[in-house]
Amino acid sequence: MDWEQIGVLIIAGVFLIFFAPRAIRAAKNAPKATASDWKGIAIPIVLVILFVVFLIMSVR
Amino acid sequence: MYENQTTVARTRDSVLATNKVLRNTYLLLSMTLLFSGLTAYVSMQVGIHLGIIPTLLIYFGLLFATEKTADSGLGLLFVFLLTGFLGFTLGPMLNAYLALPNGGELVMTALGGTGVIFLGLSGYALTTRKDFSFIGGMLVTGILVAFVAGLAAYAFGLQGLSLGVSAMFVLLMSGLILFQTSQIVHGGETNYIRATVTLYVSIYNLFTSLLHLLGAFGGDD
């Protein structure tokens, strides 16, 4: 393992220690979603997944 | 009656403010995209590769400076420094992909795909006016996990994990575009510099992740 790999792991560790509590807090404080909210986000995300699959097939 | 007039006036002011943030955000976003395209081109010609650690340190330094100065005119300078730098980091990557037999097709497909996804998701958030604030916490956690996993994949040379992280980033950045656009529409984000940085970073990550996925699954080699 060279110095660059060690440096990258140190950055990952620092990032995790610094931001993990904020991420947990943000997740806890997020507004509650209804079934309609989830449906509203599932549709575009599924379309993105299908579009990416289409792009991959188009360059094969 | 006065109460109704006040409510109507407040609503009209709120709509005008939202439209102003949207217009300024998309104007600044288009300028920063053009600027980073220019710095990417310069980087491709010069062929300088900074290495991952200096890249991360400069990126987070500029991101921090942009965040701290976003309420002043200095924020505009930092947003161009940040996006110009990110464009510059694309040069070596683009050179590597363009050296592949179907590299030009891969890069153009990733670029076009990024444009279609961004326009489609922005249009969806703007026309439906749905409030996506509930995914904010999930996005922060997801981006943190994906970022750390991406660094671990780089450090240990795990190609499979790296591809998984790219797939995760495509979904997370799609969610971030919906979230940020909805925040602007609903008045949750009133600073166009911060909104531009979020949307620019989403587009940048979407493009690099798509390019990675297309290169891995659609490359000739």
Side-chain angles (χ1 to χ4, degrees), chain A residues 1 4-5 31 33 40-41 59-60, chain B residues 124 134-135 154-156 217-218:
Chain A
M1 191 175 267
E4 193 181 52
Q5 290 170 303
I41 194 148
V59 294
R60 282 179 88 98
Chain B
Y124 179 78
F134 66 96
I135 60 167
Y154 178 86
F156 297 114
F217 293 115

Side-chain angles (χ1 to χ4, degrees), chain B residues 136-159:
Chain B
M138 208 179 352
L139 285 175
V140 174
T141 311
I143 291 168
L144 176 68
V145 169
F147 181 71
V148 171
L151 290 180
Y154 178 86
F156 297 114
L158 303 170
Q159 291 298 315

Side-chain angles (χ1 to χ4, degrees), chain A residues 7-51:
Chain A
V8 166
L9 287 176
I10 290 171
I11 290 174
V14 169
F15 209 79
L16 204 56
I17 291 165
F18 190 71
F19 285 105
R22 291 171 185 218
I24 292 166
R25 203 164 48 240
K28 276 184 181 169
N29 295 335
K32 295 280 172 264
T34 63
S36 158
D37 289 333
W38 287 115
K39 197 178 159 192
I41 194 148
I43 294 168
I45 294 298
V46 168
L47 288 174
V48 167
I49 293 169
L50 292 175
F51 181 63

Side-chain angles (χ1 to χ4, degrees), chain B residues 22 48 133 144 165 169:
Chain B
L22 265 178
I48 296 175
S133 57
L144 176 68
V165 167
F169 261 109

Side-chain angles (χ1 to χ4, degrees), chain B:
Chain B
M1 184 171 164
Y2 287 124
E3 204 172 281
N4 286 346
Q5 283 175 345
T6 311
T7 308
V8 169
R10 199 183 300 136
T11 307
R12 196 183 57 203
D13 286 350
S14 160
V15 169
L16 286 175
T18 298
N19 287 344
K20 192 179 172 192
V21 176
L22 265 178
R23 193 182 58 237
N24 287 344
T25 300
Y26 286 131
L27 182 66
L28 185 59
L29 184 63
S30 55
M31 286 163 70
T32 52
L33 285 171
L34 283 174
F35 182 61
S36 63
L38 182 72
T39 56
Y41 177 76
V42 170
S43 167
M44 285 171 77
Q45 303 305 313
V46 176
I48 296 175
H49 183 59
L50 285 174
I52 189 165
I53 294 176
T55 300
L56 285 174
L57 292 178
I58 295 170
Y59 167 65
F60 283 113
L62 287 172
L63 196 62
F64 180 78
T66 309
E67 174 64 29
K68 287 292 166 193
T69 57
D71 294 316
S72 67
L74 202 58
L76 280 174
L77 172 70
F78 279 113
V79 84
F80 276 98
L81 284 175
L82 174 67
T83 55
F85 173 72
L86 284 174
F88 196 81
T89 62
L90 284 177
M93 189 196 303
L94 291 176
N95 278 338
Y97 277 100
L98 289 173
L100 295 173
N102 64 340
E105 185 192 3
L106 291 178
V107 172
M108 291 314 292
T109 307
L111 197 59
T114 303
V116 169
I117 292 172
F118 176 73
L119 291 176
L121 293 174
S122 301
Y124 179 78
L126 288 171
T127 53
T128 62
R129 300 182 72 84
K130 284 181 186 293
D131 185 1
F132 293 111
S133 57
F134 66 96
I135 60 167
M138 208 179 352
L139 285 175
V140 174
T141 311
I143 291 168
L144 176 68
V145 169
F147 181 71
V148 171
L151 290 180
Y154 178 86
F156 297 114
L158 303 170
Q159 291 298 315
L161 179 61
S162 181
L163 278 175
V165 167
S166 288
M168 248 181 105
F169 261 109
V170 168
L171 299 181
L172 287 166
M173 294 305 116
S174 298
L176 193 55
I177 291 167
L178 289 172
F179 173 81
Q180 187 61 75
T181 311
S182 132
Q183 285 291 96
I184 299 171
V185 168
H186 293 281
E189 180 58 87
T190 53
N191 185 300
Y192 70 96
I193 293 179
R194 286 197 186 94
T196 300
V197 169
T198 305
L199 291 176
Y200 178 91
V201 170
S202 304
I203 292 170
Y204 178 93
N205 284 326
L206 201 51
F207 172 67
T208 53
S209 302
L210 261 183
L211 192 54
H212 188 201
L213 291 173
L214 292 176
F217 293 115
D220 278 350
D221 63 340

